[in-house]
Amino acid sequence: MRRYAHTAYPPGGSECAATSRETLLDYAAKAADGSLAISSRQLPMIKAAIKWYYAEIVDDTMQRDRLLNAFQKHANMPKSKEM
């Protein structure tokens, strides 16, 4: 997510791009410490980061699909659950 955040939303862009970058960086930090709770509103941006990473950096479609499915299941959970 960090690499995608800096690639898709480089510094010096619009306020919206800066907000998106910071949101992704925040999610990446929370994922690293195991306290990630995802807003369904942010799910498309996270899915885009996963798809980009596995298309541009690592060629592993099985892992990509596992992650996408995990995020989709999480988005369908009640809001009080954490991933």
Side-chain angles (χ1 to χ4, degrees):
M1 274 190 263
R2 286 183 193 99
R3 189 178 285 186
Y4 177 76
H6 291 294
T7 301
Y9 308 106
S14 69
E15 285 184 39
C16 290
T19 299
S20 295
R21 182 180 59 254
E22 292 306 313
T23 299
L24 280 171
L25 293 173
D26 186 50
Y27 277 133
K30 288 178 180 176
D33 72 13
S35 63
L36 182 62
I38 301 167
S39 162
S40 60
R41 196 166 137 197
Q42 301 300 330
L43 186 62
M45 187 171 45
I46 293 170
K47 284 180 163 183
I50 292 168
K51 289 176 182 178
W52 174 85
Y53 181 79
Y54 284 100
E56 299 294 326
I57 307 301
V58 176
D59 184 20
D60 187 344
T61 55
M62 289 177 58
Q63 177 63 15
R64 179 202 65 206
D65 293 344
R66 280 192 295 268
L67 280 171
L68 290 172
N69 287 333
F71 278 100
Q72 187 61 47
K73 286 178 186 176
H74 178 72
N76 294 329
M77 290 179 181
K79 296 290 184 204
S80 62
K81 301 254 180 180
E82 286 190 6
M83 182 172 180

